[in-house]
Amino acid sequence: MRIEGKEYRTIWFENNLVKIIDQTKLPHKFIIKDLKTVEDCINAIKTMEVRGAPLIGATAAYGIVLSIIEKNDSSFLGKSSEKLIKSRPTAINLKWAVDRMMKKLSGKNNNEILKIALDEAKVIIEEDISFCKNIGLNGLKIIEDVANKKKDTVNILTHCNAGWLATIDWGTATSPIYHAHQQGIKVHVWVDETRPRNQGANLTSYELNEEGISNTVITDNAGGILMQRGQVDMCIVGTDRTLSNGDVCNKIGTYLKALAAKDNNVPFYVALPSSTIDWNIKDHTKIPIEERNVEELSYVEGVDKENKITKIRIYPQKSKAMNLAFDVTPAKYVSGLITEKGICEASEKGLKGLFK
Ligand code: MRU
């Protein structure tokens, strides 16, 4: 997708370096950063310079490549893969990508391993782009239906950033929106701010602005009243891990949006590539929910009048805080799962029908 008119992907490999867009500086500064070692990749995932389930999976795949470049040694590679998997716990794409890379490399000799790793990382990336594109084409039909009936702008609410910045290109939740916009359908996006990291305000709004799509940032608590007023035609969100029974784990606050949507008969869709499905965990209470540093709550970051990025504390130092990063929306609140293979019911039957 585009930034200042120029096409970018969120990650690429060049001269034995991994290049990323540092998302901790957006939207104030556009900085391309070099990752030179596997430790750099781990750090970028932990600090959320790269974030979003598919993108952290891709970064981990390149982390394996950098680990081989650093030291072509199986014990070092094994340790690197374990550290990569542990760098963030909730998004299943991370483990999925590392396991896939390690399976491909198993039993390969030292002379060929680097090329095989690089080729596989590239396949993961190209596959994600095509999955996200197809999610968009499948989701487009839902938006088209509403537009045809309504004969007016389609208002879509989204939470967090499940945009192209969270993937390699297109995004998941945003892909149907980008496709609709390209087809000339009038869309407007309600962008949840997404406290505490503000991925909605900082990233989703930014990327929609860059693509010329009308959007309005709202506080996380505003979705309910907008739905009551009939100002939301549908919600589309992303996911970090979807269980085979259709339960959806996504950014904290997603569950409350789904409850409000149910109460107001607003369709609530979840967009995901198959790499986000966890076929093993059957009970959502077993999903590891990331708990991040409370400073993300007590300090807010932005630019001052001189355009300098600055951080300020917003509540008493003594106050206790808790920073849960994800929640689970039970399948019964999900109107449908938009995947690269089509749209299905949020259930085991639905998912297995698409992914045999
Ligand atoms: O903590 P983040 O910013 O990595 O969380 C991202 C999300 O929750 C996204 O909605 C999810 O990863 C889907 S990305 C296509």
Side-chain angles (χ1 to χ4, degrees):
M1 308 302 289
R2 285 169 301 180
I3 291 175
E4 288 182 8
K6 191 173 169 213
E7 289 281 341
Y8 284 95
R9 288 179 173 187
T10 51
I11 191 165
W12 64 99
F13 191 80
E14 205 177 288
N15 300 328
N16 278 1
L17 296 172
V18 175
K19 304 267 188 183
I20 57 160
I21 298 167
D22 179 354
Q23 299 195 19
T24 61
K25 302 291 184 298
L26 291 175
H28 311 297
K29 290 200 163 91
F30 180 77
I31 294 173
I32 293 172
K33 190 170 173 177
D34 291 345
L35 307 180
K36 303 186 179 84
T37 62
V38 61
E39 217 42 66
D40 286 349
C41 291
I42 292 166
N43 194 45
I45 295 169
K46 282 187 175 164
T47 58
M48 295 173 64
E49 286 169 349
V50 287
R51 28 74 45 209
L55 180 56
I56 59 180
T59 309
Y62 274 141
I64 295 286
V65 172
L66 290 181
S67 166
I68 298 168
I69 293 175
E70 249 177 289
K71 201 173 177 183
N72 195 340
D73 167 271
S74 65
S75 138
F76 184 66
L77 184 60
K79 284 190 190 117
S80 299
S81 71
E82 280 164 29
K83 279 162 88 179
L84 281 163
I85 288 174
K86 284 189 189 136
S87 57
R88 280 192 83 187
T90 303
I92 189 75
N93 305 59
L94 187 51
K95 183 171 163 22
W96 170 87
V98 173
D99 286 350
R100 176 166 161 172
M101 293 291 290
M102 293 304 278
K103 195 169 164 203
K104 196 83 189 175
L105 301 178
S106 154
K108 299 294 182 306
N109 67 48
N110 284 6
N111 306 331
E112 55 179 356
I113 199 164
L114 177 59
K115 183 178 180 319
I116 296 171
L118 197 48
D119 287 350
E120 189 63 6
K122 285 182 181 159
V123 172
I124 288 176
I125 280 176
E126 294 305 325
E127 210 176 80
D128 190 69
I129 295 171
S130 103
F131 284 177
C132 286
K133 187 170 180 194
N134 285 329
I135 288 169
L137 293 169
N138 292 327
L140 169 64
K141 293 170 204 147
I142 302 171
I143 301 178
E144 264 170 353
D145 279 355
V146 176
N148 288 338
K149 281 189 199 125
K150 199 178 169 194
K151 310 234 178 302
D152 202 352
T153 303
V154 181
N155 288 301
I156 303 165
L157 182 140
T158 194
H159 189 66
C160 192
N161 173 263
W164 76 271
L165 290 167
T167 64
I168 318 299
D169 209 350
W170 290 106
T172 57
T174 55
S175 187
I177 299 170
Y178 287 131
H179 279 88
H181 178 71
Q182 287 178 4
Q183 296 293 314
I185 297 171
K186 277 196 203 150
V187 283
H188 165 261
V189 185
W190 296 112
V191 178
D192 284 348
E193 195 175 27
T194 324
R195 278 279 291 152
R197 298 281 302 214
N198 296 327
Q199 292 95 325
N202 289 342
L203 305 175
T204 306
S205 181
Y206 170 75
E207 62 165 87
L208 292 172
N209 291 344
E210 294 294 314
E211 288 292 326
I213 296 183
S214 160
N215 69 92
T216 307
V217 177
I218 50 173
T219 64
D220 289 342
N221 309 324
I225 189 167
L226 292 176
M227 292 188 217
Q228 284 175 326
R229 286 178 173 179
Q231 288 175 281
V232 182
D233 294 304
M234 71 180 77
C235 303
I236 313 181
V237 300
T239 167
D240 292 82
R241 194 185 289 238
T242 290
L243 302 191
S244 56
N245 66 5
D247 287 352
V248 169
C249 182
N250 190 46
K251 179 56 53 192
I252 193 87
T254 303
Y255 173 44
L256 297 179
K257 292 296 146 3
L259 289 177
K262 185 80 180 175
D263 194 42
N264 292 283
N265 289 320
V266 172
F268 188 90
Y269 290 99
V270 179
L272 66 144
S274 50
S275 51
T276 308
I277 305 170
D278 183 337
W279 295 103
N280 296 316
I281 292 183
K282 302 286 173 213
D283 167 6
H284 78 77
T285 62
K286 302 282 186 306
I287 299 174
I289 300 290
E290 180 176 16
E291 211 173 319
R292 294 185 63 85
N293 195 309
V294 293
E295 281 204 357
E296 290 183 352
L297 262 70
S298 54
Y299 283 81
V300 286
E301 197 175 283
V303 283
D304 62 15
K305 284 182 182 158
E306 276 77 48
N307 221 27
K308 196 173 138 240
I309 294 183
T310 181
K311 259 186 174 184
I312 53 163
R313 187 162 49 76
I314 53 168
Y315 57 73
Q317 221 152 9
K318 277 189 181 165
S319 299
K320 272 195 203 152
M322 189 191 201
N323 187 9
L324 291 168
F326 298 94
D327 63 23
V328 179
T329 301
K332 63 182 174 183
Y333 298 121
V334 178
S335 311
L337 301 173
I338 310 170
T339 77
E340 74 269 18
K341 290 217 175 161
I343 300 170
C344 71
E345 187 185 89
S347 68
E348 182 141 11
K349 191 169 159 243
L351 278 169
K352 286 203 170 148
L354 288 181
F355 303 97
K356 304 236 159 32

